[in-house]
Amino acid sequence: MKISVFGCGYLGAVHAACMAKLGHDVIGIDVLEEQVAQLSAGRAPFHEPGLPELLEEALASGRLEFTTDASRAADAVVHFICVGTPQKQGENAADLTFVRAVTETLLPILKPGDVVVGKSTVPVGTAETISEQVHEAQPGAELLWNPEFLREGFAVQDTLHPDRFVYGFEDTDAGHRAAGVLDEIYRSALADGTPKVETDLATAQLVKVAANSFLATKISFINAMAELCEATGADVTSLADAIGHDARIGRRFLNAGVGFGGGCLPKDIRAFMARAGELGVDQALTFLQEVDAINLRRRARMIDLAREVSGGSIVGRRIAVLGAAFKPDSDDIRDSPALDVASRMQVQGAVVRVTDPQAMDNARKKFPDLTCVDTVEEAVADADLVVLLTEWREYVALDPVALKEQVAVPALIDGRNCLDPVAWRAAGWTYRALGRP
Ligand code: UDX
């Protein structure tokens, strides 16, 4: 099938490459020339395991191209909207500038039978507006909403083998025909038994923000328990293990620590609250304010703990920060708890050195005043305190005995509860963590 993908950021680049992998002819369109040039050369503009290989394979097959020329989408019969919806400056609401721009570009080139598929995370009600615009511009075209649930670090796998498909469309002949076109695109995954939920446009848009709100709530729940554990001497990791054995609760997303960040969870819960306010049901989501507050409180607690471990003050203390990305296997630093904590410790007088296996270039650009180094060795040399904030495999595997030789003071705060306290203490370290004695 001939497919166009508008927006070649995280979602779009991966989606375009995966659709080509499935055998479709794909044209990826973006307004950023540099992004298009990089992708055309087979280079992923961000760190995502498996994506470079996939891009190379798809480009070589001749089924994938990237361009800034939107008119090239005119040949396609299915058009995916994959642009970002960031948080508006100084507001909770989502910024729909890119979604609107793509819609405007797309409307004049639609042909009868074309299907427009929205994948971006949008405030509920957006799809209905676009659907009207599509029908007005081309009565024979149809809009479907098909949210994406991919996780960074697993984006290729999540796109090729999602745990479910959600199709939102109008309950009309044209709507069902458009859903059939999407079935054709996802034929192999559907044949493998991937569940599919067919619903209306409003529900499909809500599914995405509801899922992310649930995940954020789960993380903030366990982080709230960590606060209780800190007040009582209990251990949040054992608590999570114990409640996680209840299948109704489940152990995943119950890792307490410095909290959630990234380009999705924080802005999605805020945009959801803003939209609920516009709809007059803000009370339904006031709990998300608390979810956000608990999450941000963990970052502040991390700095307090650093102060505690440093004998009451971090002024002039050499602090090594391991991790800058918002999570491992990613170079994404958007709303990264690690960099937030690192820069705040620096502002408060600590001498901070940050390292990360992948995110250093991004960190240097966004935080030019922060000292960013390439290796753990450089970061920890003569450090008074080591703070682990992103649980990269190589950090989890660090040898406490060897590392002790490199620091000035063997003191460590495990901001992700990912190290073995017994091993670190046995090696002579002062080990502290959030929510653990
Ligand atoms: C998320 C959703 O998982 C995905 O379905 C959606 O499409 C986009 O948003 P992502 O932003 O890639 O994906 O990251 P995710 O793996 O969900 O982690 C989000 C944040 O939560 C990270 O900062 C992570 O460190 C943190 N986290 C996760 C915890 O603090 N504790 C946990 O137990 C799990």
Side-chain angles (χ1 to χ4, degrees):
M1 208 164 280
K2 280 193 179 305
I3 290 176
S4 75
V5 175
F6 281 83
C8 296
Y10 224 104
L11 167 57
V14 175
H15 191 68
C18 288
M19 292 304 103
K21 166 91 180 165
L22 294 179
H24 305 297
D25 279 325
V26 184
I27 183 85
I29 294 157
D30 202 289
V31 291
L32 296 176
E33 276 176 25
E34 199 194 316
Q35 186 100 340
V36 165
Q38 279 204 47
L39 287 165
S40 302
R43 286 195 304 273
F46 41 81
H47 174 76
E48 182 62 40
L51 183 58
E53 296 80 1
L54 186 64
L55 274 175
E56 202 175 311
E57 182 191 328
L59 290 165
S61 74
R63 287 196 302 272
L64 177 64
E65 265 187 84
F66 294 97
T67 178
T68 52
D69 177 6
S71 72
R72 297 277 312 277
D75 290 342
V77 289
V78 180
H79 311 276
F80 285 96
I81 302 176
C82 293
V83 288
T85 50
Q87 187 174 341
K88 274 187 188 167
Q89 281 285 339
E91 279 181 56
N92 271 350
D95 180 350
L96 294 178
T97 310
F98 304 124
V99 172
R100 292 201 185 102
V102 166
T103 309
E104 259 170 49
T105 311
L106 201 48
L107 294 177
I109 59 174
L110 290 176
K111 312 176 289 303
D114 276 11
V115 179
V116 180
V117 185
K119 293 195 83 67
S120 305
T121 303
V122 291
V124 58
T126 308
E128 289 80 347
T129 306
I130 302 176
S131 180
E132 273 172 33
Q133 292 171 317
V134 165
H135 286 148
E136 206 170 296
Q138 176 47 261
E142 196 65 16
L143 175 90
L144 249 95
W145 215 260
N146 171 223
E148 181 58 60
F149 305 99
L150 64 81
R151 298 159 298 165
E152 295 187 16
F154 301 90
V156 172
Q157 184 196 327
D158 284 353
T159 305
L160 289 174
H161 309 284
D163 47 19
R164 80 287 212 188
F165 287 111
V166 176
Y167 294 9
F169 55 93
E170 285 166 12
D171 190 11
T172 58
D173 287 349
H176 286 276
R177 189 197 64 81
V181 173
L182 209 52
D183 281 346
E184 194 55 35
I185 290 177
Y186 297 140
R187 190 170 44 186
S188 57
L190 288 168
D192 289 343
T194 306
K196 176 177 71 168
V197 178
E198 294 192 338
T199 184
D200 50 81
L201 286 172
T203 308
Q205 294 162 88
L206 282 173
V207 167
K208 176 60 192 274
V209 276
N212 276 354
S213 297
F214 190 88
L215 294 172
T217 304
K218 208 171 171 191
I219 299 168
S220 277
F221 174 82
I222 200 65
N223 280 331
M225 294 305 110
E227 293 187 12
L228 266 298
C229 289
E230 281 156 19
T232 54
D235 185 331
V236 73
T237 307
S238 306
L239 179 88
D241 289 343
I243 63 172
H245 282 301
D246 183 332
R248 293 169 303 175
I249 297 173
R251 180 63 177 82
R252 294 175 73 188
F253 270 70
L254 277 187
N255 294 324
V258 78
F260 59 82
C264 292
L265 260 44
K267 66 110 177 147
D268 284 353
I269 61 170
R270 292 173 195 151
F272 200 14
M273 285 187 272
R275 185 65 186 133
E278 288 168 5
L279 294 166
V281 285
D282 43 334
Q283 278 188 337
L285 297 187
T286 39
F287 75 95
L288 287 178
Q289 247 162 34
E290 205 49 49
V291 166
D292 204 1
I294 293 167
N295 191 52
L296 296 177
R297 228 165 33 229
R298 291 286 79 191
R299 303 180 186 185
R301 170 70 187 137
M302 193 69 209
I303 299 167
D304 286 345
L305 200 52
R307 203 172 283 117
E308 226 175 282
V309 174
S310 306
S313 169
I314 55 171
V315 176
R317 299 284 168 165
R318 285 162 302 191
I319 300 182
V321 171
L322 305 187
F326 85 103
K327 69 172 194 181
D329 292 318
S330 170
D331 63 355
D332 195 342
I333 57 162
R334 284 175 293 173
D335 205 345
S336 164
L339 283 173
D340 190 12
V341 168
S343 61
R344 281 204 258 166
M345 290 195 302
Q346 173 161 297
V347 167
Q348 294 181 26
V351 182
V352 177
R353 263 174 302 182
V354 188
T355 190
D356 188 284
Q358 293 292 341
M360 278 301 91
D361 288 348
N362 288 339
R364 284 188 180 106
K365 272 181 227 150
K366 180 102 187 283
F367 293 85
D369 296 335
L370 213 51
T371 306
C372 296
V373 296
D374 291 325
T375 62
V376 171
E377 289 70 33
E378 290 167 86
V380 302
D382 292 326
D384 299 311
L385 173 64
V386 178
V387 179
L388 193 160
L389 293 175
T390 312
E391 68 280 31
W392 285 93
R393 260 184 303 275
E394 46 265 68
Y395 299 162
V396 178
L398 281 170
D399 174 7
V401 177
L403 202 71
K404 193 172 166 223
E405 300 308 315
Q406 301 170 43
V407 298
V409 182
L412 175 127
I413 307 177
D414 178 0
R416 291 292 181 180
N417 283 314
C418 61
L419 301 175
D420 175 8
V422 177
W424 283 76
R425 286 184 180 133
W429 286 77
T430 300
Y431 171 95
R432 295 293 302 271
L434 296 171
R436 295 178 104 174

